[in-house]
Structures are given as structure tokens and as C-alpha cells.
Amino acid sequence: SAAQRAGGMEKREEAGIEAGVAAMAQCYQPFDPAAYLQYNYTPPRADFSRLDSIVPWKLGCLHRAFTAGDICGGTLVDVGSGPTLYQVLSGCEVFEKLVLTDFLPQNRAALRRWLGDDPGSFDWSPYLRHVCQLEGRSPEAWREKAARLRSVVTDVLPIDVHRPAPLLPGALPGPADCLVSSFCLEAVSPDRPAFTQALRHVSTLLRPGGHLVMIGALEESYYLGGPGVRIPVVPVDQAFVTASLEECGYTVLEFCTYVLPADMCVGVDDVVGIFFLKARKKKVAL
């Protein structure tokens, strides 16, 4: 019957996603946080003197999102933090509890090193200074901001966005009021159906009416996660990401894009541009 055929196709699609997800997990085993940070979070991509630099653009979008007044609550969860913290520098002022998450133990270790003020951890002070300026504070207030971030991060947890329950049971006291996710879903999904399925899974962590703030790569097919570590990415565009959000029960409030200047295409990926979006989970789930 048609229903049996549809059920069979669905099972095959799920099996295909599972196989692809397992292959992606293998790709990530040699991921090197220090090399990744060097490739993407130092100049030229992190040149704070240039208005067209990718990092100031991202930080500006995040600052506007978290100071507009509509995102609020008690708990912010960062989905797939990687070894980075820039994505929560504005959100940490709005929320009392901040949970960082990542699939890879080496990324969670990198985050814990910074949180523990380890002298060998990545230097986020240029980022902290820049966000202080966006907030109308002296750049010298960066140490206060660093202290604020360290005080509100309550956990660094393992996460698997391909599981229906991405966090371990009881990891959160209740649904989050806001989710942030940067360069995660497209970079860990073998194909577009897996991206949408992962978005549906992480959305279970968010309360109805809560907000999702997302940054991602446009039309990227790979990036380097270390010397010789080529990680495949599912290429996405605005139309697909918007359709995925609507399918998963979100109202898109803002979607903007950035195109990389030629001199920022430095051979560590084939990204064309990036997107920033802000969305609200509908009160009645679809």
C-alpha cells in the first residue's frame, strides 16, 4: 500500500541519516581546537580595525539581538559551542544562567580552560573589549565582562544534536528561555534532512515563546578542523534555513547575511558568506 511504501521510504531515509551522522562523528575525532581558533578567530578574520571584517559583523548582530529587549529569561543554552565564547558575550549580560555545550571532549576542555583562567587558554580579550565598546562601556571594562561570563556559566555539557533528547536527562532544570547556536547544525549534518531533524531535536530544549539566535555558513561544503582535517559541511542558503525553521515551529524575526571579502577567503574553507537570524518558537508547537 501507499502507506507501507511511505513508511519504508521514511525508514530508509532515517537509516541514511544515521549512517551519515556516524561518518560525521568520525570526521570530527581529529578536530584540533587550537588550530581551528587560529584559522578563524585571529586576523584577518578577526580584524577589529576593519568595518568589513567578519568577526565585528557577528558581534554587532549578537549585540543588537540581546539589547533589543525581547529576549529575556533565566537560562541561555549555547548549542554546539565548539571551542569559542564570542557568541555568548552579549547574552551573558541578559541571563543569570548560561550553559555551554559541545559534542567533542577537546572543545569542552578548551572552554573549561578559559573559564578556569588558565594562562594557556585562547585570548578572548580583543572580543571582550569590542563588545564592551558596543555596550557603551570603556574597553578597559573587559575584565569585568570576563568575570560576569565566568560567573553565569553554570555548566559545560556534552550534547548530541542528532539524538531526540540532545542533552542527558536532568541536565537542565527546565526548558531554556533562549538558544544560541553558531556554525553547528550545517557543520555536523551529512545532508539537509539531517539539518532539519537536528534543529527539531535542539528545539525541544527551548520553551514555547523562547528565542533562537543562530549564526551559520552559507554555501559552504567543507572547512579545516586542523592541519589536513577536512570536515564536510552541508551547503545551505537562506530559503532552506528559513523553511527548516518554519517546519520546526519558529517565526523568523530577523535574517541578515554577510558576504566575505576576497582577502578573508584564506583557504581554510570555501564559505561564501554567513547568516545571522533571530527566531521565536511558536507557543503552540506544530
mmCIF file of all heavy atoms in Angstrom, residues 114-143:
data_model
loop_
_atom_site.group_PDB
_atom_site.id
_atom_site.type_symbol
_atom_site.label_atom_id
_atom_site.label_comp_id
_atom_site.label_asym_id
_atom_site.label_seq_id
_atom_site.Cartn_x
_atom_site.Cartn_y
_atom_site.Cartn_z
ATOM 1 N N TRP A 114 39.512 28.221 29.625
ATOM 2 C CA TRP A 114 39.293 29.677 29.710
ATOM 3 C C TRP A 114 38.482 30.020 30.963
ATOM 4 O O TRP A 114 38.803 30.978 31.675
ATOM 5 C CB TRP A 114 38.581 30.203 28.463
ATOM 6 C CG TRP A 114 38.493 31.710 28.508
ATOM 7 C CD1 TRP A 114 39.430 32.604 28.064
ATOM 8 C CD2 TRP A 114 37.439 32.489 29.083
ATOM 9 N NE1 TRP A 114 39.029 33.883 28.330
ATOM 10 C CE2 TRP A 114 37.805 33.851 28.948
ATOM 11 C CE3 TRP A 114 36.228 32.180 29.695
ATOM 12 C CZ2 TRP A 114 37.001 34.887 29.394
ATOM 13 C CZ3 TRP A 114 35.427 33.217 30.151
ATOM 14 C CH2 TRP A 114 35.800 34.554 30.004
ATOM 15 N N LEU A 115 37.447 29.254 31.228
ATOM 16 C CA LEU A 115 36.602 29.525 32.406
ATOM 17 C C LEU A 115 37.419 29.436 33.692
ATOM 18 O O LEU A 115 37.150 30.148 34.664
ATOM 19 C CB LEU A 115 35.421 28.549 32.446
ATOM 20 C CG LEU A 115 34.383 28.742 31.319
ATOM 21 C CD1 LEU A 115 33.458 27.540 31.242
ATOM 22 C CD2 LEU A 115 33.575 30.024 31.531
ATOM 23 N N GLY A 116 38.432 28.568 33.690
ATOM 24 C CA GLY A 116 39.298 28.422 34.856
ATOM 25 C C GLY A 116 40.469 29.393 34.856
ATOM 26 O O GLY A 116 41.360 29.292 35.703
ATOM 27 N N ASP A 117 40.462 30.353 33.887
ATOM 28 C CA ASP A 117 41.506 31.378 33.802
ATOM 29 C C ASP A 117 42.895 30.763 33.603
ATOM 30 O O ASP A 117 43.896 31.256 34.146
ATOM 31 C CB ASP A 117 41.481 32.275 35.050
ATOM 32 C CG ASP A 117 41.909 33.706 34.716
ATOM 33 O OD1 ASP A 117 42.176 33.976 33.525
ATOM 34 O OD2 ASP A 117 41.979 34.539 35.636
ATOM 35 N N ASP A 118 42.945 29.688 32.840
ATOM 36 C CA ASP A 118 44.219 29.027 32.536
ATOM 37 C C ASP A 118 45.039 29.943 31.613
ATOM 38 O O ASP A 118 44.542 30.383 30.573
ATOM 39 C CB ASP A 118 43.909 27.700 31.822
ATOM 40 C CG ASP A 118 45.137 26.878 31.507
ATOM 41 O OD1 ASP A 118 46.179 27.467 31.156
ATOM 42 O OD2 ASP A 118 45.064 25.649 31.595
ATOM 43 N N PRO A 119 46.282 30.250 31.987
ATOM 44 C CA PRO A 119 47.090 31.158 31.152
ATOM 45 C C PRO A 119 47.332 30.628 29.744
ATOM 46 O O PRO A 119 47.638 31.393 28.827
ATOM 47 C CB PRO A 119 48.409 31.296 31.929
ATOM 48 C CG PRO A 119 48.404 30.227 32.976
ATOM 49 C CD PRO A 119 46.986 29.843 33.220
ATOM 50 N N GLY A 120 47.178 29.335 29.529
ATOM 51 C CA GLY A 120 47.381 28.769 28.195
ATOM 52 C C GLY A 120 46.131 28.778 27.325
ATOM 53 O O GLY A 120 46.163 28.329 26.181
ATOM 54 N N SER A 121 45.018 29.318 27.832
ATOM 55 C CA SER A 121 43.770 29.296 27.055
ATOM 56 C C SER A 121 43.768 30.414 26.007
ATOM 57 O O SER A 121 44.581 31.338 26.066
ATOM 58 C CB SER A 121 42.568 29.438 27.989
ATOM 59 O OG SER A 121 42.617 30.667 28.683
ATOM 60 N N PHE A 122 42.859 30.316 25.050
ATOM 61 C CA PHE A 122 42.765 31.303 23.967
ATOM 62 C C PHE A 122 42.475 32.688 24.550
ATOM 63 O O PHE A 122 41.723 32.826 25.521
ATOM 64 C CB PHE A 122 41.656 30.895 22.991
ATOM 65 C CG PHE A 122 41.596 31.739 21.749
ATOM 66 C CD1 PHE A 122 42.514 31.559 20.721
ATOM 67 C CD2 PHE A 122 40.613 32.705 21.597
ATOM 68 C CE1 PHE A 122 42.459 32.329 19.569
ATOM 69 C CE2 PHE A 122 40.549 33.482 20.441
ATOM 70 C CZ PHE A 122 41.474 33.300 19.431
ATOM 71 N N ASP A 123 43.056 33.712 23.939
ATOM 72 C CA ASP A 123 42.886 35.090 24.425
ATOM 73 C C ASP A 123 41.637 35.719 23.799
ATOM 74 O O ASP A 123 41.654 36.141 22.639
ATOM 75 C CB ASP A 123 44.135 35.903 24.065
ATOM 76 C CG ASP A 123 44.022 37.356 24.515
ATOM 77 O OD1 ASP A 123 43.125 37.660 25.332
ATOM 78 O OD2 ASP A 123 44.837 38.179 24.059
ATOM 79 N N TRP A 124 40.564 35.777 24.577
ATOM 80 C CA TRP A 124 39.317 36.381 24.096
ATOM 81 C C TRP A 124 39.240 37.875 24.432
ATOM 82 O O TRP A 124 38.217 38.513 24.171
ATOM 83 C CB TRP A 124 38.102 35.656 24.690
ATOM 84 C CG TRP A 124 37.933 34.271 24.142
ATOM 85 C CD1 TRP A 124 38.187 33.096 24.776
ATOM 86 C CD2 TRP A 124 37.493 33.920 22.818
ATOM 87 N NE1 TRP A 124 37.949 32.022 23.946
ATOM 88 C CE2 TRP A 124 37.513 32.497 22.734
ATOM 89 C CE3 TRP A 124 37.092 34.651 21.707
ATOM 90 C CZ2 TRP A 124 37.147 31.820 21.580
ATOM 91 C CZ3 TRP A 124 36.721 33.967 20.555
ATOM 92 C CH2 TRP A 124 36.753 32.571 20.505
ATOM 93 N N SER A 125 40.322 38.456 24.975
ATOM 94 C CA SER A 125 40.229 39.860 25.419
ATOM 95 C C SER A 125 39.911 40.850 24.284
ATOM 96 O O SER A 125 39.154 41.795 24.522
ATOM 97 C CB SER A 125 41.479 40.281 26.192
ATOM 98 O OG SER A 125 42.628 40.204 25.386
ATOM 99 N N PRO A 126 40.425 40.677 23.028
ATOM 100 C CA PRO A 126 40.020 41.629 21.976
ATOM 101 C C PRO A 126 38.506 41.597 21.735
ATOM 102 O O PRO A 126 37.893 42.624 21.451
ATOM 103 C CB PRO A 126 40.787 41.159 20.734
ATOM 104 C CG PRO A 126 41.925 40.343 21.264
ATOM 105 C CD PRO A 126 41.417 39.706 22.521
ATOM 106 N N TYR A 127 37.913 40.423 21.859
ATOM 107 C CA TYR A 127 36.457 40.266 21.690
ATOM 108 C C TYR A 127 35.716 40.942 22.839
ATOM 109 O O TYR A 127 34.729 41.652 22.640
ATOM 110 C CB TYR A 127 36.101 38.778 21.642
ATOM 111 C CG TYR A 127 36.593 38.063 20.411
ATOM 112 C CD1 TYR A 127 37.949 37.762 20.250
ATOM 113 C CD2 TYR A 127 35.722 37.691 19.405
ATOM 114 C CE1 TYR A 127 38.408 37.109 19.114
ATOM 115 C CE2 TYR A 127 36.170 37.040 18.272
ATOM 116 C CZ TYR A 127 37.517 36.755 18.128
ATOM 117 O OH TYR A 127 37.945 36.114 16.999
ATOM 118 N N LEU A 128 36.183 40.686 24.043
ATOM 119 C CA LEU A 128 35.563 41.287 25.229
ATOM 120 C C LEU A 128 35.635 42.814 25.157
ATOM 121 O O LEU A 128 34.656 43.511 25.451
ATOM 122 C CB LEU A 128 36.265 40.770 26.488
ATOM 123 C CG LEU A 128 36.017 39.292 26.817
ATOM 124 C CD1 LEU A 128 37.171 38.708 27.619
ATOM 125 C CD2 LEU A 128 34.709 39.117 27.580
ATOM 126 N N ARG A 129 36.786 43.335 24.731
ATOM 127 C CA ARG A 129 36.953 44.789 24.597
ATOM 128 C C ARG A 129 35.965 45.356 23.571
ATOM 129 O O ARG A 129 35.326 46.385 23.798
ATOM 130 C CB ARG A 129 38.382 45.127 24.148
ATOM 131 C CG ARG A 129 39.447 44.934 25.206
ATOM 132 C CD ARG A 129 40.838 45.115 24.579
ATOM 133 N NE ARG A 129 41.885 44.897 25.544
ATOM 134 C CZ ARG A 129 42.383 45.843 26.343
ATOM 135 N NH1 ARG A 129 41.924 47.069 26.266
ATOM 136 N NH2 ARG A 129 43.341 45.566 27.206
ATOM 137 N N HIS A 130 35.855 44.682 22.431
ATOM 138 C CA HIS A 130 34.982 45.162 21.361
ATOM 139 C C HIS A 130 33.519 45.184 21.820
ATOM 140 O O HIS A 130 32.801 46.163 21.570
ATOM 141 C CB HIS A 130 35.136 44.270 20.123
ATOM 142 C CG HIS A 130 34.377 44.763 18.935
ATOM 143 N ND1 HIS A 130 34.831 45.807 18.133
ATOM 144 C CD2 HIS A 130 33.183 44.378 18.400
ATOM 145 C CE1 HIS A 130 33.942 46.031 17.173
ATOM 146 N NE2 HIS A 130 32.938 45.175 17.302
ATOM 147 N N VAL A 131 33.087 44.130 22.504
ATOM 148 C CA VAL A 131 31.690 44.075 22.953
ATOM 149 C C VAL A 131 31.440 45.121 24.048
ATOM 150 O O VAL A 131 30.368 45.733 24.088
ATOM 151 C CB VAL A 131 31.301 42.647 23.397
ATOM 152 C CG1 VAL A 131 29.866 42.617 23.905
ATOM 153 C CG2 VAL A 131 31.445 41.669 22.229
ATOM 154 N N CYS A 132 32.415 45.358 24.900
ATOM 155 C CA CYS A 132 32.272 46.441 25.891
ATOM 156 C C CYS A 132 32.025 47.779 25.186
ATOM 157 O O CYS A 132 31.163 48.565 25.602
ATOM 158 C CB CYS A 132 33.523 46.544 26.765
ATOM 159 S SG CYS A 132 33.626 45.276 28.046
ATOM 160 N N GLN A 133 32.763 48.020 24.088
ATOM 161 C CA GLN A 133 32.555 49.268 23.332
ATOM 162 C C GLN A 133 31.155 49.325 22.727
ATOM 163 O O GLN A 133 30.505 50.376 22.759
ATOM 164 C CB GLN A 133 33.613 49.386 22.231
ATOM 165 C CG GLN A 133 34.974 49.794 22.755
ATOM 166 C CD GLN A 133 35.990 49.924 21.636
ATOM 167 O OE1 GLN A 133 36.435 48.923 21.067
ATOM 168 N NE2 GLN A 133 36.361 51.140 21.303
ATOM 169 N N LEU A 134 30.680 48.199 22.188
ATOM 170 C CA LEU A 134 29.317 48.152 21.639
ATOM 171 C C LEU A 134 28.292 48.487 22.719
ATOM 172 O O LEU A 134 27.263 49.100 22.438
ATOM 173 C CB LEU A 134 29.021 46.759 21.059
ATOM 174 C CG LEU A 134 29.792 46.329 19.806
ATOM 175 C CD1 LEU A 134 29.443 44.896 19.441
ATOM 176 C CD2 LEU A 134 29.502 47.261 18.632
ATOM 177 N N GLU A 135 28.591 48.089 23.941
ATOM 178 C CA GLU A 135 27.668 48.324 25.060
ATOM 179 C C GLU A 135 27.810 49.726 25.657
ATOM 180 O O GLU A 135 27.159 50.043 26.645
ATOM 181 C CB GLU A 135 27.904 47.272 26.147
ATOM 182 C CG GLU A 135 27.487 45.876 25.710
ATOM 183 C CD GLU A 135 27.911 44.755 26.652
ATOM 184 O OE1 GLU A 135 28.638 45.018 27.632
ATOM 185 O OE2 GLU A 135 27.508 43.601 26.398
ATOM 186 N N GLY A 136 28.708 50.531 25.064
ATOM 187 C CA GLY A 136 28.888 51.897 25.556
ATOM 188 C C GLY A 136 29.800 51.994 26.766
ATOM 189 O O GLY A 136 29.810 52.998 27.466
ATOM 190 N N ARG A 137 30.551 50.922 27.004
ATOM 191 C CA ARG A 137 31.482 50.911 28.132
ATOM 192 C C ARG A 137 32.903 51.122 27.639
ATOM 193 O O ARG A 137 33.189 50.962 26.455
ATOM 194 C CB ARG A 137 31.398 49.565 28.868
ATOM 195 C CG ARG A 137 30.057 49.305 29.516
ATOM 196 C CD ARG A 137 30.186 48.214 30.568
ATOM 197 N NE ARG A 137 29.934 46.896 30.031
ATOM 198 C CZ ARG A 137 30.135 45.774 30.718
ATOM 199 N NH1 ARG A 137 30.637 45.826 31.937
ATOM 200 N NH2 ARG A 137 29.856 44.604 30.191
ATOM 201 N N SER A 138 33.784 51.427 28.563
ATOM 202 C CA SER A 138 35.194 51.522 28.211
ATOM 203 C C SER A 138 35.700 50.133 27.842
ATOM 204 O O SER A 138 35.326 49.141 28.479
ATOM 205 C CB SER A 138 35.984 52.054 29.408
ATOM 206 O OG SER A 138 37.356 51.706 29.276
ATOM 207 N N PRO A 139 36.596 50.040 26.822
ATOM 208 C CA PRO A 139 37.185 48.732 26.509
ATOM 209 C C PRO A 139 37.895 48.122 27.719
ATOM 210 O O PRO A 139 38.026 46.905 27.820
ATOM 211 C CB PRO A 139 38.185 49.040 25.392
ATOM 212 C CG PRO A 139 37.844 50.390 24.873
ATOM 213 C CD PRO A 139 37.092 51.104 25.937
ATOM 214 N N GLU A 140 38.315 48.990 28.643
ATOM 215 C CA GLU A 140 39.026 48.504 29.833
ATOM 216 C C GLU A 140 38.107 47.763 30.801
ATOM 217 O O GLU A 140 38.574 47.147 31.757
ATOM 218 C CB GLU A 140 39.737 49.662 30.550
ATOM 219 C CG GLU A 140 40.852 50.299 29.720
ATOM 220 C CD GLU A 140 41.754 49.273 29.028
ATOM 221 O OE1 GLU A 140 42.288 48.382 29.722
ATOM 222 O OE2 GLU A 140 41.906 49.352 27.791
ATOM 223 N N ALA A 141 36.797 47.832 30.535
ATOM 224 C CA ALA A 141 35.843 47.076 31.376
ATOM 225 C C ALA A 141 35.820 45.596 30.991
ATOM 226 O O ALA A 141 35.028 44.823 31.531
ATOM 227 C CB ALA A 141 34.446 47.675 31.246
ATOM 228 N N TRP A 142 36.708 45.191 30.077
ATOM 229 C CA TRP A 142 36.659 43.814 29.581
ATOM 230 C C TRP A 142 36.861 42.780 30.682
ATOM 231 O O TRP A 142 36.277 41.694 30.634
ATOM 232 C CB TRP A 142 37.666 43.606 28.448
ATOM 233 C CG TRP A 142 39.107 43.531 28.843
ATOM 234 C CD1 TRP A 142 39.988 44.566 28.901
ATOM 235 C CD2 TRP A 142 39.841 42.358 29.210
ATOM 236 N NE1 TRP A 142 41.228 44.124 29.290
ATOM 237 C CE2 TRP A 142 41.174 42.769 29.480
ATOM 238 C CE3 TRP A 142 39.519 41.005 29.340
ATOM 239 C CZ2 TRP A 142 42.167 41.878 29.878
ATOM 240 C CZ3 TRP A 142 40.512 40.117 29.728
ATOM 241 C CH2 TRP A 142 41.811 40.545 29.994
ATOM 242 N N ARG A 143 37.656 43.124 31.700
ATOM 243 C CA ARG A 143 37.875 42.155 32.780
ATOM 244 C C ARG A 143 36.590 41.916 33.571
ATOM 245 O O ARG A 143 36.323 40.797 34.012
ATOM 246 C CB ARG A 143 38.995 42.632 33.706
ATOM 247 C CG ARG A 143 40.381 42.469 33.101
ATOM 248 C CD ARG A 143 41.488 42.787 34.100
ATOM 249 N NE ARG A 143 42.801 42.594 33.494
ATOM 250 C CZ ARG A 143 43.409 43.507 32.751
ATOM 251 N NH1 ARG A 143 42.822 44.687 32.535
ATOM 252 N NH2 ARG A 143 44.600 43.260 32.222
#
